[in-house]
């Protein structure tokens, strides 16, 4: 048997005799190798069923695998999530709110990693459902200010003293009051889910690195607060899994009490380790700056914040429409100048700082576009306001406005432009692919 019968043109092994590409494929490149090279380059492989000698099929560009160099800036994820939350705060239409929840959930499912903070999204969803249930329970037990004619049930009413007029416990429960409570609770639940999406997608440690030097002390406190809930959830899940493997109960009050002490111990150990790591990296140490620079920094920062508040108030009121925008821009400029001067006292350096790439700008712009379009639509007239805030008296089914729904769908852009999460080791063993 000659060498040409055992190897292909590119040096790889030739297909077996029973393989569909075995006939006449000695001079054709190996399909498996072409597919592997295409996957590594981020392109699709040859089409299924294409002949071996026909060359590679038509390729299409896909989002690359996430690495340390091309990962989305965490600030872009927060801007995207806050944009969705702003849009949710402008409407009580349950169809639009459900669409916002679906958009956030799809992006999280498509771009979430296996990091501990990424597992907190389910906890935020459960918290949102709990908030919705509590809002409905309050509407049933304490009544609703919305007048209704469709009585569902009449509960025994508790008599209250004269000083508690306007408050009742029990009484009539109407369909209009429950629907109003459902709309109101669904808006708050959507806001919690949007915040949960940001926690699941943004790396809190990288977010701390991106803060200005003047805010790094406050940023440490914020990041520790943001990572407390995800790490606590991860510890509870780990301990419950360990108890199940040992055949011990992990549900109910008994399981909760026996899991609580190890979780508290782990939280204390993590706090001590974090304090030691921060001290070793120079947190809390500042450089000597002249007194004039310190005073200028304080004046610019405080004056800028006052200007931002005054400008925002002017934009929100009819009387301040002329001075609102200039004062807001001046306040922003002063605050940014104060932050820049305040960063001079920080001795902290940044190793491989994160950069805003094109994909990060697209992610942030998609969330900002959703918020801006919903705000513009809400201010376009009485009919638009009625579409975003459906009434419950009389009780009618809400309509789905077309343009706000199309604006909300812009929030799906990160699911297609953000880098895909890296394959887990189990996935690599199953697919045989190498990490990019």
């Amino acid at each position: 048997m000659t060498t040409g019968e055992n190897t292909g043109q590119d040096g790889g092994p030739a297909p077996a005799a029973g393989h569909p590409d075995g006939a006449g494929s000695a001079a054709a490149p190996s399909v498996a190798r072409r597919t592997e090279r295409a996957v590594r380059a981020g392109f699709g492989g040859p089409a299924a069923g294409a002949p071996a000698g026909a060359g590679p099929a038509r390729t299409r560009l896909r989002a690359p695998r996430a690495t340390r160099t091309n990962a989305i800036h965490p600030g872009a994820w927060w801007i995207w999530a806050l944009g969705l939350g702003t849009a949710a705060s402008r409407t009580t239409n349950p169809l639009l709110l459900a669409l916002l929840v679906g958009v956030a959930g799809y992006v999280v499912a498509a771009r979430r990693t296996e990091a501990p903070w990424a597992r907190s999204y389910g906890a935020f969803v459960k918290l949102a459902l709990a908030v919705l249930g509590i809002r409905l329970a309050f509407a049933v037990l304490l009544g609703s200010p919305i007048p209704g004619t469709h009585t569902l049930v009449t509960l025994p009413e508790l008599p209250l003293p004269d000083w508690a007029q306007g408050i009742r416990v029990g009484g009539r429960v109407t369909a209009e009051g429950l629907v109003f409570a459902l709309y109101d609770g669904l808006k708050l639940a959507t806001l919690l889910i949007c915040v949960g999406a940001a926690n699941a997608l943004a790396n809190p440690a990288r977010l701390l690195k991106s803060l200005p030097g003047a805010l790094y002390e406050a940023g440490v406190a914020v990041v520790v607060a943001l990572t407390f809930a995800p790490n606590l959830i991860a510890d509870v899940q780990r301990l419950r899994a360990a108890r199940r493997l040992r055949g011990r109960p992990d549900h109910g009050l008994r399981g909760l009490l026996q899991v609580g002490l190890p979780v508290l111990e782990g939280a204390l150990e993590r706090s001590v380790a974090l304090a030691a790591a921060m001290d070793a990296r120079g947190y809390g140490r500042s450089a000597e700056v002249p007194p004039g620079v310190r005073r200028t920094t304080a004046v610019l920062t405080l004056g800028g914040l006052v200007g931002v508040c005054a400008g925002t108030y002017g934009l929100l009121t009819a009387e301040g429409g002329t001075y609102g925008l200039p004062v807001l821009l001046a306040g922003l400029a002063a605050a940014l100048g104060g932050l820049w001067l305040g960063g001079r006292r920080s001795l902290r350096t940044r190793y491989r700082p994160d950069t805003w790439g094109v994909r990060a700008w697209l992610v942030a712009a998609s969330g900002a576009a959703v918020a801006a379009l919903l705000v513009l639509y809400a201010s376009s007239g009485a009919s638009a306001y009625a579409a975003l805030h459906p009434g419950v008296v009389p009780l009618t089914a809400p309509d789905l406005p077309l343009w706000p729904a199309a604006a909300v769908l812009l929030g799906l852009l990160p699911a297609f432009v953000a880098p895909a999460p890296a394959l887990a080791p189990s996935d690599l063993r199953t697919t045989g692919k190498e990490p990019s």
Side-chain angles (χ1 to χ4, degrees):
M1 184 177 293
T2 61
T3 305
E5 295 174 346
N6 291 328
T7 59
Q9 191 175 15
D10 57 352
H19 195 274
D21 297 333
S25 60
S30 171
V31 177
R33 289 184 177 273
R34 286 205 312 270
T35 305
E36 184 179 359
R37 288 196 297 267
V39 168
R40 290 181 182 179
F43 293 90
R58 185 178 180 181
T59 59
R60 61 187 182 90
L61 182 63
R62 296 177 180 175
R65 290 288 176 185
T67 61
R68 179 60 183 81
T69 57
N70 67 353
I72 296 295
H73 196 284
W77 286 121
W78 272 102
I79 293 176
W80 169 80
L82 292 178
L84 296 185
T86 303
S89 67
R90 307 297 296 184
T91 179
T92 56
N93 191 317
L95 301 179
L96 288 177
L97 293 175
L99 190 60
L100 284 168
V101 171
V103 167
Y106 182 83
V107 174
V108 170
R111 292 298 180 259
R112 180 172 58 175
T113 63
E114 296 296 329
W117 61 82
R119 305 171 188 172
S120 63
Y121 182 73
F124 276 94
V125 173
K126 295 177 182 178
L127 178 61
L129 294 176
V131 167
L132 183 58
I134 292 173
R135 181 66 179 88
L136 291 175
F138 281 174
V140 171
L141 297 177
L142 303 179
S144 176
I146 301 300
T149 57
H150 298 79
T151 303
L152 299 178
V153 65
T154 301
L155 300 176
E157 188 170 354
L158 181 66
L160 298 177
D162 297 336
W163 53 267
Q165 291 183 358
I167 302 175
R168 68 177 179 86
V169 178
R172 290 191 317 123
V173 179
T174 62
E176 290 83 356
L178 280 182
V179 171
F180 177 78
L182 176 64
Y183 291 175
D184 195 29
L186 188 59
K187 179 170 70 173
L188 181 56
T190 306
L191 291 174
L192 289 173
I193 289 176
C194 292
V195 174
N199 277 278
L201 294 171
N203 188 332
R206 292 178 55 204
L207 183 62
L208 174 62
K209 289 175 56 178
S210 304
L211 288 177
L215 298 177
Y216 81 94
E217 293 98 342
V220 170
V222 171
V223 170
V224 170
L226 289 176
T227 56
F228 173 76
N231 288 325
L232 186 66
I233 294 169
D235 287 345
V236 171
Q237 292 176 347
R238 176 176 54 83
L239 291 172
R240 289 182 61 185
R243 290 182 63 83
R244 284 195 299 269
L245 291 175
R246 294 181 176 92
R248 298 176 181 176
D250 61 321
H251 293 283
L253 182 60
R254 181 182 177 184
L256 179 63
L257 292 178
Q258 294 182 355
V259 167
L261 185 60
V263 169
L264 179 61
E265 181 182 1
L268 293 176
E269 292 179 354
R270 191 184 304 110
S271 300
V272 173
L274 178 62
M278 290 169 58
D279 182 70
R281 288 165 174 80
Y283 281 92
R285 304 168 190 171
S286 58
E288 292 293 335
V289 294
V293 175
R294 290 201 302 268
R295 298 190 188 98
T296 304
T297 302
V299 170
L300 287 177
T301 304
L302 295 178
L305 294 178
V306 172
V308 169
C309 295
T312 304
Y313 176 79
L315 290 177
L316 296 177
T317 57
E319 294 81 4
T322 56
Y323 69 84
L325 185 59
V327 172
L328 177 62
L329 294 178
L332 286 175
L336 292 177
L339 293 177
W340 177 76
L341 285 177
R344 297 176 58 183
R345 66 183 178 87
S346 175
L347 299 174
R348 184 173 59 108
T349 59
R350 295 180 181 178
Y351 174 67
R352 293 194 301 183
D354 294 317
T355 58
W356 280 77
V358 176
R359 298 181 186 273
W361 282 111
L362 290 175
V363 170
S366 64
V370 173
L373 292 176
L374 261 294
V375 171
L376 290 176
Y377 184 82
S379 60
S380 60
S383 60
Y385 182 86
L388 295 179
H389 300 83
V392 296
V393 180
L395 193 60
T396 57
D399 297 328
L400 180 63
L402 179 60
W403 290 111
V408 170
L409 292 178
L410 292 177
L412 290 172
L413 186 63
F416 304 99
V417 301
L423 291 176
S426 59
D427 298 331
L428 292 175
R429 288 193 298 269
T430 303
T431 59
K433 297 179 182 178
E434 298 180 1
S436 56

